[in-house]
């Protein structure tokens, strides 16, 4: 047995992306320009939201969203600890603090009952930041109702959620601002990159200024004919968060394929869920109202029935030449967050327990049915050989 190593994640890049990037390189325009404008227009149409702004990462997008809303020193944002550190670190950029609320064991998303309780008992919260884990939409009806009740803004971390739907509508149409990631492993990629969408013209204007050094384009827009082309005005100490035309060239074609790529991942998820029946593990749950983006396929090992733990399972998968991963190491056990707020693992018991059982299996469109079967068979072999 000497099969090639099956990587955990591989981007799905076609000739269209390659040709568009090459054309961009030959065009003489590399930074944000015509391709970026086209990518933003197509994205805005795709999600059905008036403003879509490219950025160089989802992290940048989340930061810009909180800044535009006016989150500042002493404010709080409320989110889940079962996420990537970016969701929470952007609050710290602005001197604000994240408040964590435990997750639902089935969906890995923020538990809206616990969210309601936290909102009723905590002051100073400005923003709810739901994370659509793995591409499964959060309970947006409840979250929006709570936001309305407490007069909070909603900034969605949709890094996994392109394209995801909640009750027949795409994620991106719910919150005040939604941020997507085009990091190399995500469902749609530009290598590095992101997009922020909003329906709020004030937020859009502020995020546009702050993504490029606080430079205001209003002077150009108002009377472009009478102002020289070299002229600009700096109105704030902004950031350097814009996307290049090289990245946008990829994004244009990735976006057009987004639903086809999702469908292939959904087929893989179905093959996994059928093939993994009867084993000491829980396969992912899909809420009936959701169309799942399937960025991740996360199983939870039934440790009580096994002689091995999650880490050993991952080691054995590696010996079978299969790459896996863990999403996520909860933030409250990471040194920075743990030390800053004095967290104990049991402060968020579901997040901590799920973390110890979670294994992300490879799920990307270019995987063949035979490769998916190989993962199923290896999982079966390892787990049946490790039964208590
Ligand atoms: C990947 C990821 C991010 C950050 O995305 P970048 O584009 O790399 O900044 C944020 N949140 C979650 C949940 C992610 O998985």
């Amino acid at each position: 047995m000497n099969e090639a190593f099956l990587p955990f994640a591989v981007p799905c890049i076609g000739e269209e992306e390659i040709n568009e990037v090459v054309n961009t390189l030959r065009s003489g325009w590399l930074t944000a320009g015509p391709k970026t404008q086209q990518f933003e227009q197509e994205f805005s149409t795709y999600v059905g939201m008036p403003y879509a702004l490219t950025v160089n990462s989802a992290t940048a997008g989340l930061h810009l969203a909180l800044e535009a809303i006016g989150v500042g020193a002493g404010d709080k944002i409320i989110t889940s600890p079962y996420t990537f550190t970016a969701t929470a670190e952007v609050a710290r950029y602005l001197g604000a603090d994240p408040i964590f609320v435990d997750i639902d064991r089935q969906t890995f998303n923020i538990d809206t009952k616990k969210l309601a309780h936290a909102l009723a008992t905590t002051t100073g919260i400005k923003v709810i930041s739901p994370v659509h884990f793995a591409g499964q939409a959060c309970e947006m009806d409840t979250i929006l109702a709570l936001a309305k009740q407490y007069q909070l803004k909603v900034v969605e971390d949709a890094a996994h959620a392109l394209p995801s739907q909640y009750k027949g509508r795409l994620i991106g149409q719910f919150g005040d601002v939604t941020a997507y990631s085009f990091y190399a492993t995500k469902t749609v990629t530009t290598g590095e990159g992101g997009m922020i969408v909003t329906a709020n013209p004030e937020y859009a204007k502020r995020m546009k200024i702050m993504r490029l050094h606080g430079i205001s384009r209003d002077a150009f827009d108002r009377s472009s004919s009478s102002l020289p082309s070299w002229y600009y005005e700096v109105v704030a100490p902004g950031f350097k968060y814009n996307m290049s035309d090289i990245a946008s060239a990829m994004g244009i074609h990735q976006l057009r394929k987004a639903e086809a790529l999702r469908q292939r991942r959904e087929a893989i998820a179905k093959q996994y869920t059928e093939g993994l029946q009867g084993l000491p593990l829980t396969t992912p749950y899909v809420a009936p109202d959701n169309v799942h983006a399937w960025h991740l396929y996360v199983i939870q090992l039934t440790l009580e029935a096994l002689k091995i733990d999650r880490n050993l399972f991952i080691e054995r998968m590696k010996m079978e030449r299969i790459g896996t991963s863990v999403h996520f190491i909860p933030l409250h056990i990471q040194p920075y967050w743990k030390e800053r707020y004095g967290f104990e693992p049991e402060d968020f018991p579901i997040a901590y327990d799920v973390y110890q059982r979670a294994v992300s299996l490879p799920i990307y469109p270019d995987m063949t049915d035979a490769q998916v079967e190989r993962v199923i068979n290896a999982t079966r072999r390892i787990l049946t050989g490790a039964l208590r």
Side-chain angles (χ1 to χ4, degrees):
M1 198 205 75
N2 211 352
E3 284 173 290
F5 189 82
L6 183 71
F8 170 65
V10 180
C12 184
I13 304 297
E15 288 306 310
E16 302 85 350
E17 286 87 338
I18 292 167
N19 291 334
E20 196 79 44
V21 167
V22 171
N23 290 343
T24 306
L25 293 175
R26 293 192 202 284
S27 76
W29 194 281
L30 302 183
T31 185
K35 301 289 183 202
T36 300
Q37 207 174 5
Q38 186 187 343
F39 185 30
E40 290 179 343
Q41 274 162 6
E42 292 190 18
F43 202 96
S44 157
T45 305
Y46 183 87
V47 294
M49 291 293 274
Y51 304 99
L53 303 177
T54 48
V55 278
N56 58 13
S57 71
T59 309
L62 292 166
H63 182 199
L64 290 174
L66 297 186
E67 200 278 339
I69 284 167
V71 170
D75 290 333
K76 293 169 189 151
I77 74 153
I78 196 159
T79 189
S80 143
Y82 210 80
T83 184
F84 185 57
T85 195
T87 321
E89 83 190 20
V90 293
R92 297 295 307 125
Y93 291 1
L94 297 160
D97 292 295
I99 299 291
F100 297 127
V101 168
D102 211 352
I103 53 165
D104 174 87
R105 181 181 288 283
Q106 278 190 302
T107 62
F108 300 76
N109 283 337
I110 196 162
D111 182 325
T112 51
K113 284 201 189 69
K114 290 178 184 162
L115 174 63
H117 181 259
L119 291 174
T121 54
T122 318
T123 56
I125 294 170
K126 266 204 169 159
V127 168
I128 307 176
S129 203
V131 181
H132 307 291
F133 181 87
Q136 165 127 266
C138 292
E139 281 174 56
M140 291 314 296
D141 280 351
T142 313
I143 290 168
L144 293 178
L146 288 167
K148 197 169 173 193
Q149 184 185 344
Y150 291 96
Q151 294 181 305
L152 309 174
K153 301 298 177 194
V154 176
V155 173
E156 291 171 62
D157 183 335
H160 302 179
L162 184 68
S164 297
Q165 289 180 34
Y166 176 75
K167 298 192 174 174
R169 284 161 61 203
L170 278 173
I171 288 301
Q173 300 180 6
F174 295 90
D176 294 282
V177 184
T178 302
Y180 304 88
S181 173
F182 308 136
Y183 180 67
T185 60
K186 300 282 159 73
T187 57
V188 162
T189 186
T190 62
E192 298 279 0
M195 189 78 77
I196 30 181
V197 305
T198 183
N200 183 315
E202 294 302 318
Y203 294 164
K205 187 178 165 200
R206 178 72 182 177
M207 294 190 296
K208 215 169 166 177
I209 290 171
M210 294 307 282
R211 100 177 139 173
L212 198 67
H213 301 294
I215 290 174
S216 173
R217 298 260 154 199
D218 276 10
F220 299 83
D221 296 345
R222 269 202 306 275
S223 52
S224 50
S225 54
S226 66
L227 281 165
S229 61
W230 50 263
Y231 185 77
Y232 60 86
E233 284 177 358
V234 175
V235 299
F239 311 105
K240 171 66 181 180
Y241 280 168
N242 61 303
M243 181 177 266
S244 76
D245 261 22
I246 303 168
S248 294
M250 289 179 68
I252 289 164
H253 294 282
Q254 288 274 294
L255 180 66
R256 290 178 189 167
K257 298 174 187 174
E259 177 55 21
L261 299 178
R262 190 200 69 80
Q263 284 176 18
R264 175 60 194 145
R265 288 190 304 272
E266 186 172 61
I268 294 169
K270 189 161 174 276
Q271 194 182 342
Y272 273 144
T273 297
E274 284 167 10
L276 296 171
Q277 289 309 307
L279 292 175
L281 55 80
T282 307
T283 54
Y285 166 82
V286 184
D289 291 335
N290 281 359
V291 174
H292 202 305
W294 293 111
H295 165 52
L296 301 172
Y297 187 94
V298 182
I299 56 170
Q300 296 181 52
L301 299 179
T302 311
L303 298 174
E304 297 76 0
L306 292 167
K307 286 186 285 198
I308 58 169
D309 65 6
R310 186 270 316 279
N311 298 359
L312 204 48
F313 174 78
I314 286 178
E315 280 309 306
R316 300 226 171 133
M317 287 294 269
K318 202 170 148 198
M319 280 156 59
E320 298 269 357
R321 307 187 58 69
I322 294 169
T324 59
S325 191
V326 175
H327 296 86
F328 285 102
I329 305 169
L331 299 186
H332 74 288
I333 67 168
Q334 291 286 7
Y336 172 74
W337 300 109
K338 176 179 166 354
E339 283 157 29
R340 178 171 169 89
Y341 301 105
F343 290 132
E344 295 296 333
E346 290 303 321
D347 287 350
F348 306 99
I350 310 294
Y352 187 59
D353 184 63
V354 162
Y355 157 64
Q356 288 165 291
R357 301 166 184 277
V359 182
S360 302
L361 300 181
I363 181 164
Y364 42 93
D366 287 343
M367 275 182 89
T368 63
D369 290 355
Q371 287 173 323
V372 178
E373 212 52 39
R374 214 184 114 195
V375 177
I376 292 169
N377 291 338
T379 304
R380 185 168 291 281
R381 235 184 345 265
I382 293 165
L383 292 182
T384 51
L387 286 171
R388 250 187 218 288

